[in-house]
Amino acid sequence: MYPALLPRALTLSLVALVFAILPAAAQTTPDKVSFGTNWLAEAEHGGFFQAVADGTYEKYGLDVTIVPGGPNENNRILLIAGKVDFFMAANSLMSFDAVASNVPVVSVAAMFQKDPQVFLTHPESKITKLQDLKPLTLYVSKEGITSYFQWLKSDYGFSEDKVRPYTFNPQPFIADKQSAMQGYVTSEPYAVERAAKFKPGVILLADNGFNDYSTLIETRSDLVDKKPDLVQRFVDASIIGWYHYLYGDNAAANAMIRKLNPEMTDDLLAYSVARMKEYGIVDSGDALTKGIGAMTDERATTFFDKMVRAGVVRPNIDFRKAYTLRFVNKGVGLDLRPK
């Protein structure tokens, strides 16, 4: 029987049924999401690649495209311009600066509980304490001078007289036994071991009071307001991805990373993951009870106060606008940590 010949009441019922079914069908189409990183693909981004590779994002109704950063890319500008949906912010200072500049972005999760910034030392020096670095020549980048080194000056009494430019080349440090070099715990020690055939000493700033968050998920404020469910799903799936990357089978994620950045060898990827676990870069502190991605007002306040004291940020900004706790601290993925 053709619909035109059906009784009017029955026809209307069928139409209502069709429209009732349509939203459910629409929900099966994943939301397209783009995530811009702040550097070339590497193990330090592994949890995000893992969530793509093992289907975690898909399970959360997301079709995620990772947009790698690099020396000639500025994915944060793309975030602000609405060209990507989420961005990997390197540290909390970027978030504070956004507030000071009235840029409408907000951090919604902190995937690294510890900033991986370190100083490397020569094994002969037997230096184990941060303050013992003060007599040495220190190789520090210009970005480091304007950020963590100002904290070293205010809290530890360091002097810029001992600083030399760090150009991301370890050779000056290797040649000078009375020196120390900045780096990331996940990469530069490996590079020095390969080049100089010795294992450098490592002093992690995060274990000496530099309690910055790192590798934050940042998004636009309007996305938080208009699509909080989308933000929540991206945060939750990313958290799950990080648990799987650290404690599960990360081969597929590493394959994606190697394809995008051939400099990431199997040995370097394995080294980086091992150091993240050894030093608690991702899974330590508040993350142990609140889940990966955790943030707290107390910690944000103490770090802000240190940066004000160091003259890095202005004291009159409303730093709590830099982040929201709405999407974290829910214990997502805690059951995935090995017992």
Side-chain angles (χ1 to χ4, degrees):
M1 183 178 293
Y2 292 100
L5 302 178
L6 289 172
R8 177 176 173 80
L10 182 56
T11 302
L12 292 175
S13 296
L14 286 173
V15 171
L17 178 61
V18 169
F19 279 97
I21 292 172
L22 281 175
Q27 290 171 11
T28 65
T29 302
D31 294 305
K32 289 186 177 296
V33 169
S34 52
F35 175 59
T37 69
N38 56 17
W39 195 245
L40 302 172
E42 55 188 357
E44 292 87 336
H45 309 167
F48 304 107
F49 283 102
Q50 180 76 26
V52 173
D54 67 12
T56 297
Y57 283 133
E58 185 178 1
K59 291 176 184 176
Y60 279 76
L62 301 172
D63 178 4
V64 175
T65 299
I66 296 180
V67 183
N72 300 313
E73 307 294 337
N74 192 332
N75 282 335
R76 198 177 197 220
I77 293 296
L78 296 183
L79 172 72
I80 296 167
K83 302 300 184 181
V84 299
D85 303 298
F86 297 93
F87 172 69
M88 180 193 300
N91 52 54
S92 300
L93 291 174
M94 294 182 70
S95 305
F96 295 159
D97 183 64
V99 174
S101 302
N102 293 313
V103 178
V105 296
V106 61
S107 293
V108 295
M111 311 317 282
F112 283 12
Q113 290 298 298
K114 294 182 180 182
D115 192 308
Q117 188 70 59
V118 297
F119 271 106
L120 308 186
T121 62
H122 285 262
E124 299 91 334
S125 69
K126 301 186 185 305
I127 288 177
T128 58
K129 296 179 180 179
L130 181 62
Q131 55 265 38
D132 293 341
L133 296 174
K134 285 192 281 188
L136 303 181
T137 298
L138 302 176
Y139 291 100
V140 182
S141 68
K142 60 182 181 180
E143 294 82 7
I145 286 293
T146 59
S147 57
Y148 70 81
F149 198 82
Q150 300 307 309
W151 164 77
L152 287 173
K153 289 167 60 178
S154 65
D155 279 29
Y156 283 89
F158 277 66
S159 169
E160 290 186 31
D161 293 341
K162 305 296 292 185
V163 172
R164 300 294 179 269
Y166 175 55
T167 60
F168 300 91
N169 177 359
Q171 290 304 322
F173 160 72
I174 292 172
D176 183 358
K177 296 185 184 302
Q178 295 302 309
S179 71
M181 180 187 86
Q182 78 166 48
Y184 269 13
V185 71
T186 47
S187 57
E188 271 78 5
Y190 176 87
V192 169
E193 284 187 49
R194 293 289 294 264
K197 309 304 180 187
F198 67 79
K199 186 175 182 178
V202 173
I203 297 178
L204 186 70
L205 298 189
D207 288 341
N208 289 273
F210 190 68
N211 60 333
D212 186 16
Y213 289 124
S214 181
T215 309
L216 298 99
I217 298 176
E218 191 176 65
T219 190
R220 293 182 303 280
S221 301
D222 68 317
L223 194 64
V224 169
D225 294 336
K226 296 176 182 177
K227 296 184 178 181
D229 174 68
L230 177 70
V231 176
Q232 186 69 71
R233 283 185 285 130
F234 183 78
V235 169
D236 288 351
S238 299
I239 291 169
I240 297 297
W242 270 105
Y243 279 111
H244 286 164
Y245 186 72
L246 291 176
Y247 304 122
D249 181 359
N250 59 20
N254 283 340
M256 291 182 66
I257 292 170
R258 287 195 307 272
K259 184 176 181 179
L260 289 168
N261 184 6
E263 292 186 6
M264 291 295 110
T265 63
D266 287 335
D267 284 348
L268 177 53
L269 289 166
Y271 179 92
S272 298
V273 172
R275 298 293 82 76
M276 283 191 280
K277 293 164 74 172
E278 177 185 355
Y279 286 89
I281 299 300
V282 179
D283 196 12
S284 64
D286 292 319
L288 297 178
T289 56
K290 300 177 186 295
I292 287 174
M295 298 188 291
T296 66
D297 288 325
E298 293 79 11
R299 181 163 163 185
T301 300
T302 60
F303 181 67
F304 176 76
D305 289 344
K306 289 176 184 180
M307 293 302 99
V308 169
R309 189 165 62 247
V312 177
V313 297
R314 302 201 310 263
N316 60 341
I317 70 169
D318 186 357
F319 71 93
R320 294 199 178 187
K321 290 182 178 178
Y323 66 93
T324 175
L325 306 182
R326 178 177 180 179
F327 304 102
V328 292
N329 304 339
K330 302 175 186 293
V332 172
L334 284 176
D335 58 316
L336 300 173
R337 184 190 296 122
K339 299 293 187 284

